[in-house]
Amino acid sequence: MKQQFQLELEDVKRIAAAAEAHAAAKGWAVSIAIVDAGGHLLWLQRMDGAAPISAQIAPAKAHTAALGRRESKVYEDMINGGRVSFLSAPGIAATLEGGVPIVVDGQHLGAVGVSGVKSSEDAEIAKAGIAAL
């Protein structure tokens, strides 16, 4: 039987704080979501000034990255490349860049989703949070 790491609350807080600090340093108002490996929401915060819709998009990006075990940008690229049938894939909540899986020692522990600025900047924030682990 394989042992699986799990995110603990302190890990989630560390990721969230680092992501928030990165966004704040750049002057970006975003929503930050963190999910476990099953895509279940562990953390959601909407920074002052972030658009209300970002609090819906960030968890969807995280969910997609967690279940797919890859960045949500992969799905965006597939669709933009002409594979539009992927829009009907079950469990894919958001096919926009900004969802990044959390991988530790080859184990997928969940994902971070960010929404509120350019998609590439959303991903940058998510990666800054994950780097705090």
Side-chain angles (χ1 to χ4, degrees):
M1 188 175 290
K2 182 178 180 180
Q3 292 185 339
Q4 177 72 32
F5 296 132
Q6 291 188 66
L7 291 171
E8 295 183 333
L9 183 57
E10 286 307 312
D11 301 321
V12 172
K13 288 179 178 179
R14 190 176 317 121
I15 293 167
E20 179 183 1
H22 187 82
K26 300 273 188 163
W28 297 335
V30 298
S31 288
I32 301 163
I34 303 171
V35 301
D36 66 12
H40 303 98
L41 190 61
L42 300 173
W43 186 274
L44 176 63
Q45 71 184 77
R46 185 171 62 134
M47 295 173 65
D48 293 342
I53 191 69
S54 68
Q56 302 242 340
I57 295 171
K61 288 179 177 183
H63 183 266
T64 297
L67 292 184
R69 294 184 171 184
R70 62 191 62 164
E71 289 195 38
S72 56
K73 182 181 184 339
V74 170
Y75 300 107
E76 180 180 10
D77 290 345
M78 278 193 267
I79 292 163
N80 288 342
R83 198 164 176 208
V84 294
S85 61
F86 224 92
L87 289 169
S88 66
I92 304 296
T95 54
L96 305 166
E97 183 176 10
V100 180
I102 302 168
V103 182
V104 176
D105 294 335
Q107 293 189 31
H108 292 264
L109 308 183
V112 178
V114 178
S115 179
V117 287
K118 293 179 188 174
S119 291
S120 59
E121 295 166 344
D122 289 341
E124 178 184 324
I125 296 165
K127 290 174 184 176
I130 294 167
L133 279 180

